[in-house]
Amino acid sequence: MFKKETEYALRSLVYIEMQNKQGRRPGIVEISSEIDAPPPFTAKILQRLVRMGFLESMKGKNGGYFFNPGKPPIPLKQVVTAIEGDKIFTGCGFGLSHCDESNPCPLHDAYGPIRETIDQLLSNETIQDLARKDNPERALSRIKGN
Amino acid sequence: MFKKETEYALRSLVYIEMQNKQGRRPGIVEISSEIDAPPPFTAKILQRLVRMGFLESMKGKNGGYFFNPGKPPIPLKQVVTAIEGDKIFTGCGFGLSHCDESNPCPLHDAYGPIRETIDQLLSNETIQDLARKDNPERALSRIKGN
DNA sequence: TTATTAGTTGACCAAAAGGTCTTTTAATCA
DNA sequence: TGATTAAAAGACCTTTTGGTCAACTAATAA
């Protein structure tokens, strides 16, 4: 569904939000270990997310990653489009150009609802929603990757 | 949604079926041009599909690709899994392992229906269905890629 | 004010996906 | 049978994705 970079980004953000709510600012080593991702790759991805304004970071002792509590919750769609673009929300399931209601490709009618469902889910769910879904211990035990 | 190889495979198969129904056996040059894919890459993909038994080919004059009319229609899911595996039908949308009903990851409940919809569509639709969806001229004009 | 902690940066490497090219093999028709 | 047509096969190349590494910079606490 998503590429690795997007998966790691989503998992990192959810984990960081969970820790922030406990008053902690997790660092790269902790985050990458908890979400089961390679530390240097995780660092690179988080740097990008910081530059794009999704979250903030602090160097030095007690440093780490954290969300600006003043900002609104972040829909998953924002993260996905920032990393992968909007092809998944607009593109044709069959890989065809010139595919719309008036000139549908053979798969258009069938694929439309799928695209709709994906779009709605990722528009409505936020990082903060996901971090809230469970109590922290249970969520933590299941956020590990494959 | 799919990788290029899968897209080209599906488009090639639909085009070949459409031509077969007109009593023709299209070759690589014709197919790749009609579906807007690179000829050598298309050749490679079709060779694989032939080896996997999805269709047959003939060398020499009047040669080309064709389906064995005795075989049953081919669900899109068969082609997709043969090329990409079944990750799209079984994997977790969030990229997590250990994700099932009894131990759901944060996205599990929301993603389930999407996976279901995709699975059903690709299980029910066949190459032959798609080739039948329109009259050949209209279908041909819209099967071109992006 | 310096040692330590922790994020930043950019160059680099490896694997997979996407794509090309050349040689060989097989079928058919003149 | 030989010329022609068209697929088969495999080596090779390029780009993207995934991932690593080492040097650098900033914050802070002792």
Side-chain angles (χ1 to χ4, degrees):
Chain A
M1 181 89 216
F2 302 121
K3 31 186 203 177
K4 285 266 179 263
E5 183 177 352
T6 309
E7 288 180 7
Y8 293 158
L10 293 174
R11 302 203 315 238
S12 295
L13 294 177
V14 171
Y15 179 74
I16 293 166
E17 168 70 10
M18 281 178 355
Q19 294 307 304
N20 283 183
K21 292 205 294 183
Q22 318 260 22
R24 304 185 58 253
R25 285 195 287 263
I28 287 296
V29 175
E30 175 183 341
I31 297 168
S32 58
S33 148
E34 288 298 329
I35 69 165
D36 242 48
F41 195 29
T42 308
K44 186 189 263 186
I45 292 168
L46 285 179
Q47 287 157 26
R48 287 179 194 151
L49 292 172
V50 168
R51 257 181 265 143
M52 293 192 281
F54 285 111
L55 78 168
E56 286 158 53
S57 66
M58 268 186 56
K59 293 183 179 181
K61 222 149 201 175
N62 294 315
Y65 296 91
F66 60 100
F67 290 93
N68 180 336
K71 287 194 173 177
I74 302 167
L76 305 188
K77 186 174 181 180
Q78 272 189 32
V79 181
V80 173
T81 47
I83 297 176
E84 312 202 345
D86 64 353
K87 210 187 117 195
I88 185 174
F89 307 108
T90 63
C92 165
F94 206 29
L96 303 180
S97 58
H98 327 301
C99 172
D100 55 36
E101 283 307 323
S102 67
N103 191 29
C105 84
L107 261 185
H108 181 84
D109 291 335
Y111 185 68
I114 293 177
R115 186 173 42 214
E116 271 290 293
T117 316
I118 295 175
D119 194 321
Q120 278 180 22
L121 161 63
L122 297 180
S123 298
N124 294 335
E125 290 273 359
T126 68
I127 297 293
Q128 286 74 11
D129 288 336
L130 294 184
R132 205 161 30 225
K133 278 255 156 79
D134 305 276
N135 66 61
E137 305 81 49
R138 282 189 65 216
L140 208 145
S141 80
R142 69 173 67 136
I143 203 165
K144 307 227 176 192
N146 40 20
Chain B
M1 180 91 217
F2 302 121
K3 32 187 203 177
K4 286 265 179 261
E5 184 178 349
T6 309
E7 288 180 8
Y8 294 158
L10 292 173
R11 302 205 312 242
S12 294
L13 293 177
V14 171
Y15 179 75
I16 293 165
E17 168 69 10
M18 280 175 0
Q19 294 306 306
N20 283 182
K21 292 206 294 186
Q22 318 259 23
R24 305 184 58 253
R25 283 195 288 262
I28 287 296
V29 175
E30 175 183 341
I31 296 168
S32 58
S33 147
E34 288 298 329
I35 69 166
D36 242 47
F41 195 29
T42 308
K44 188 190 264 188
I45 292 168
L46 286 178
Q47 285 157 27
R48 287 179 195 152
L49 291 171
V50 167
R51 257 181 265 145
M52 294 191 282
F54 284 110
L55 78 168
E56 286 158 52
S57 66
M58 269 185 55
K59 292 181 181 183
K61 220 148 202 177
N62 294 317
Y65 295 91
F66 60 98
F67 290 93
N68 180 336
K71 287 194 174 179
I74 302 168
L76 304 188
K77 185 173 181 179
Q78 271 188 32
V79 181
V80 173
T81 48
I83 296 176
E84 311 200 348
D86 64 354
K87 209 186 117 196
I88 186 175
F89 306 108
T90 64
C92 166
F94 206 30
L96 304 180
S97 56
H98 325 301
C99 174
D100 55 35
E101 283 308 323
S102 65
N103 191 28
C105 84
L107 261 185
H108 182 83
D109 291 336
Y111 185 69
I114 293 177
R115 186 174 40 214
E116 270 292 292
T117 316
I118 294 174
D119 194 323
Q120 278 181 22
L121 161 63
L122 297 181
S123 297
N124 294 334
E125 290 273 359
T126 67
I127 296 293
Q128 286 73 12
D129 288 336
L130 293 184
R132 205 161 29 225
K133 277 252 156 82
D134 306 275
N135 66 61
E137 304 81 47
R138 282 188 66 214
L140 208 144
S141 80
R142 70 173 65 136
I143 203 165
K144 305 226 176 191
N146 40 23

